[in-house]
Amino acid sequence: MSKSNVLLLRMLFWVGVPIILLLLPKDFFDDGPPLCPSMIFLGEECPGCGMTRACMYLIHFDFTEAYFYNALCFLVFPILAFAWARLFWTDWQQWRLLRQSA
């Protein structure tokens, strides 16, 4: 598989995951056992507990529920979104250079 195709697949991943998260219902991650090692082994919540659910509610613009699950999501989510967009942009630039040189 060529480097251009690998970059194209990665860009599809960078775009596809946010679209899938938008299409899933906002309470998709509400059910199920806790996956946090702190909860499993110590029975105590850590500062990151509820972050997945909070970010999912934040993606769907339900700010009240996002705050309820973890108020840090208002700080963490923009940082994650920026990092995600930057990874996409880097792959996009590399892909464009490969396409121009071919």
Side-chain angles (χ1 to χ4, degrees):
M1 186 177 274
S2 71
K3 181 164 175 99
S4 178
N5 288 341
V6 169
L7 287 170
L8 187 60
L9 286 174
R10 283 179 32 177
M11 287 187 301
L12 288 172
F13 173 79
W14 300 132
V15 172
V17 169
I19 290 172
I20 290 170
L21 290 175
L22 280 170
L23 294 174
L24 287 173
K26 59 185 171 184
D27 61 352
F28 185 77
F29 296 109
D30 286 359
D31 297 332
L35 300 176
C36 176
S38 177
M39 279 297 291
I40 293 170
F41 297 119
L42 303 173
E44 297 286 325
E45 287 189 357
C46 71
C49 280
M51 187 62 70
T52 302
R53 291 175 287 173
C55 286
M56 193 66 168
Y57 280 100
L58 195 58
I59 289 170
H60 288 88
F61 303 106
D62 190 343
F63 303 117
T64 307
E65 286 295 311
Y67 184 81
F68 170 75
Y69 282 110
N70 195 326
L72 287 175
C73 71
F74 294 101
L75 176 66
V76 171
F77 181 76
I79 294 169
L80 290 175
F82 176 77
W84 195 269
R86 189 166 183 204
L87 288 168
F88 170 79
W89 185 252
T90 302
D91 285 350
W92 171 263
Q93 294 294 334
Q94 288 179 5
W95 182 76
R96 279 187 44 219
L97 288 173
L98 284 174
R99 299 285 291 171
Q100 288 176 353
S101 65

